[in-house]
Amino acid sequence: MKHTVYRALHHRGWRAVATAGFALLAGAATIGADSPTGGERGVHAFVLSHIYFAGAPEAGACATMSARSTEAFRLTLPKPEQAAYAAPAQYGPLFEKMNKDLGFRRISLSGGNPGGNSAGRANVAKVPADYRHGEHLTIARARQIAAMNGFPHDRGNPAFQSSVIAYDACTDPGDFPQLTKGYVPYDGKRAFGIDLDGKVGPADFTAPDGTRGVDNQVWHVLGCTKTFREQGDPATAKGVFLSARAPTLIEVRGTDNLHDAGDVTVNVYSALDPVTRDGRKGALAYASFRPDPDSALHATTHGRIVNGVLLSDPVDLVLNYKEQIIDSPRHLLRTRIRLVFQPDGSVEGGFYGYYTIASLYNSIEQMTLVGADVSGMSCPAIHRAITRYADGARDPRTGRFTAISTAMHFFGVPAFIVGNAGQPAS
C-alpha cells in the first residue's frame, strides 16, 4: 500500500521542504545518530552517495593484474608483433589492429536518414523506414538494424544508451575466447562480506575482522582488475559519487533508538532526484528526495539493531545504477542490508547477497569496449569468470547458478523522503 513518507510544508512544495529542512536541521549532526532524519518520529532516512565493490587490503595479493582486452589480444600475436606493440605509445595502433583483425563493428544511429546512410559516413547506420531517432532499442530491434548493415548473423547489441549498435568483445564475449588470455582471478584470502549460506567452504574468504565463511565470489572475479582494485579501497571510495543521478534511499521505521531496537522496518527506494555536493564536496545532508514510483525499485524488509548496527532479513532488491553512459539496474537476490550508524548522523554499510549474472554482466557490457579496456578489463574474461564463480540461484532446469555472491559497500547521509513511494515488488 502506498504511503506518504513526509508531507510537512506541502503547501510550499517539496523544494521548500528541502530548504526549510536543511535550515532547521543543519546543526543536528552534532546531536548524534539518535536524532530523527526522516521528518517523522521513529523514521530515519538516508541517501547513499556511493555503492561500490569493497576490497580488503591484503599484502601479496594480485602481484600480477588481469590483462585488458588489448593486452590479451597482443599476447595472441606472433612474438615479433608482440614486441612491436609492447610499448605504451603503440596502444592506439594495437587497439585499431584488434578491432580490424577480430571484425568488430560499430554503427551510429545519430543523424541517420530512414533507409540509408547520412552524409556519406560509413559508420552511420542504415535504418528501417519506421525507425524514430532516439527510440529505445530492444535486442530484436538492434539486430534487425545490424543485419541491414552487414553484421554477422544474429549479432549486434545497443550501446551508449541506444545511440550505437556494436558487435565486439563486450557485446558478444563468447565469440572471442582468445581475449581471456592473461586474466587473473583474485588470489587473496581476505574479503569483505558475510556468510550467506551458513557454511564454511574452500572458496570462502575470511573477513578483515576474522569472520570465516565469507561469500563474495564477485571479488574473486574483479579483485585483480585494475579499476575495481583501485576503487575498492574504502578510503578512496568515500570521496567518490557514483550513480549520483539515480541514488538509492534507505529508510528505517519503527524506532528512535538507533543503538538497540528489537524490530524495525527497512524500506529501500530509488530516488528521482540527484545527490548534490555540500561546501566540503561531500554529499549534502538533509536534502529532500522523491522516491521513484516504479514498484520494482522499492523493497521492504525487517531488521534488528544491536550496538548501533542494523542487520536486515534477506530481501530481493533492484538498485538503480545510472552513471554517464551506463543505465543498468542491479538485481540482487536474498540480500541482507547492514547499516552502521555513525555519531555524526551518517551511515556506512553494505548490501550482501547474490547479484544476478545477467545484470552484473550488463553493467560491464555497458561500459563498452573502450571503457572496459581503459578500466583494465577484458569483457570475455570477466564474462567467463562470472559464470565460473557463480554460486547462487541455481536454475532447476539447467542446474546452473544464475547469480553470484557479492558485498557492495556504501556511504550515506541523512535525508528526507517526500511524496509517495512505490509498492514493494513482493
Side-chain angles (χ1 to χ4, degrees), residues 21-344:
F22 180 73
L24 290 170
L25 296 169
T30 62
I31 297 174
D34 281 348
S35 300
T37 61
E40 303 172 32
R41 290 199 60 80
V43 180
H44 310 264
F46 306 90
V47 62
L48 307 186
S49 57
H50 189 24
I51 303 173
Y52 67 103
F53 298 110
E58 183 172 1
C62 300
T64 301
M65 300 297 290
S66 277
R68 58 185 178 182
S69 56
T70 45
E71 178 61 13
F73 173 71
R74 188 182 72 84
L75 295 174
T76 68
L77 299 175
K79 293 292 185 182
E81 285 191 274
Q82 287 188 35
Y85 286 105
Q90 293 300 309
Y91 174 78
L94 178 62
F95 189 85
E96 291 181 10
K97 180 175 176 59
M98 178 180 69
N99 276 261
K100 181 179 179 182
D101 288 7
L102 299 185
F104 296 164
R105 295 289 308 278
R106 182 175 179 272
I107 53 175
S108 171
L109 298 174
S110 300
N113 294 321
N117 289 323
S118 173
R121 295 168 57 193
N123 68 322
V124 176
K126 295 178 180 178
V127 295
D130 63 345
Y131 172 77
R132 295 294 174 263
H133 179 67
E135 73 175 64
H136 176 74
L137 295 181
T138 63
I139 297 296
R141 181 67 154 172
R143 292 184 176 173
Q144 176 195 14
I145 297 172
M148 294 177 62
N149 289 271
F151 278 45
H153 176 67
D154 201 30
R155 290 294 185 267
N157 283 357
F160 286 94
Q161 298 188 354
S162 293
S163 66
V164 165
I165 297 175
Y167 169 65
D168 56 40
C170 289
T171 64
D172 296 274
D175 289 1
F176 304 98
Q178 64 271 49
L179 297 186
T180 62
K181 200 173 185 69
Y183 169 73
V184 178
Y186 185 70
D187 52 3
K189 302 297 183 183
R190 290 158 57 92
F192 289 111
I194 64 174
D195 183 358
L196 294 171
D197 59 8
K199 305 174 184 177
V200 178
D204 289 351
F205 288 106
T206 299
D209 65 2
T211 301
R212 300 177 63 223
V214 167
D215 297 298
N216 185 359
Q217 294 302 301
V218 162
W219 198 242
H220 268 307
V221 174
L222 301 176
C224 288
T225 300
K226 176 178 178 288
T227 291
F228 291 102
R229 182 74 175 164
E230 293 171 352
Q231 296 181 356
D233 180 354
T236 300
K238 193 162 190 176
V240 175
F241 279 35
L242 199 63
S243 197
R245 65 188 176 97
T248 295
L249 305 170
I250 296 180
E251 178 188 71
V252 179
R253 285 181 162 259
T255 185
D256 277 331
N257 182 354
L258 295 185
H259 190 264
D260 290 287
D263 179 71
V264 294
T265 300
V266 182
N267 288 306
V268 181
Y269 308 103
S270 178
L272 295 174
D273 307 294
V275 176
T276 56
R277 292 185 183 271
D278 62 17
R280 294 173 296 180
K281 297 186 177 180
L284 179 65
Y286 303 109
S288 295
F289 296 88
R290 297 166 298 162
D292 194 307
D294 184 351
S295 62
L297 299 174
H298 173 202
T300 297
T301 185
H302 288 264
R304 284 144 294 284
I305 303 173
V306 179
N307 293 327
V309 179
L310 182 152
L311 186 64
S312 80
D313 297 332
V315 64
D316 293 349
L317 299 170
V318 180
L319 305 177
N320 252 346
Y321 177 27
K322 295 184 179 182
E323 183 66 25
Q324 299 180 9
I325 62 172
I326 298 174
D327 184 353
S328 180
R330 295 160 161 153
H331 292 256
L332 305 179
L333 308 177
R334 292 160 48 198
T335 301
R336 304 190 77 176
I337 305 164
R338 185 173 185 266
L339 277 176
V340 182
F341 300 102
Q342 302 298 311
D344 65 355

Side-chain angles (χ1 to χ4, degrees), residues 317-388:
L317 299 170
V318 180
L319 305 177
N320 252 346
Y321 177 27
K322 295 184 179 182
E323 183 66 25
Q324 299 180 9
I325 62 172
I326 298 174
D327 184 353
S328 180
R330 295 160 161 153
H331 292 256
L332 305 179
L333 308 177
R334 292 160 48 198
T335 301
R336 304 190 77 176
I337 305 164
R338 185 173 185 266
L339 277 176
V340 182
F341 300 102
Q342 302 298 311
D344 65 355
S346 66
V347 291
E348 298 180 12
F351 297 106
Y352 306 100
Y354 293 90
Y355 203 147
T356 65
I357 290 175
S359 66
L360 174 56
Y361 185 73
N362 182 257
S363 70
I364 301 294
E365 178 186 343
Q366 287 195 30
M367 294 175 70
T368 73
L369 180 67
V370 174
D373 201 64
V374 170
S375 298
M377 285 187 287
S378 172
C379 287
I382 297 298
H383 185 268
R384 177 180 287 185
I386 293 171
T387 304
R388 173 189 171 188

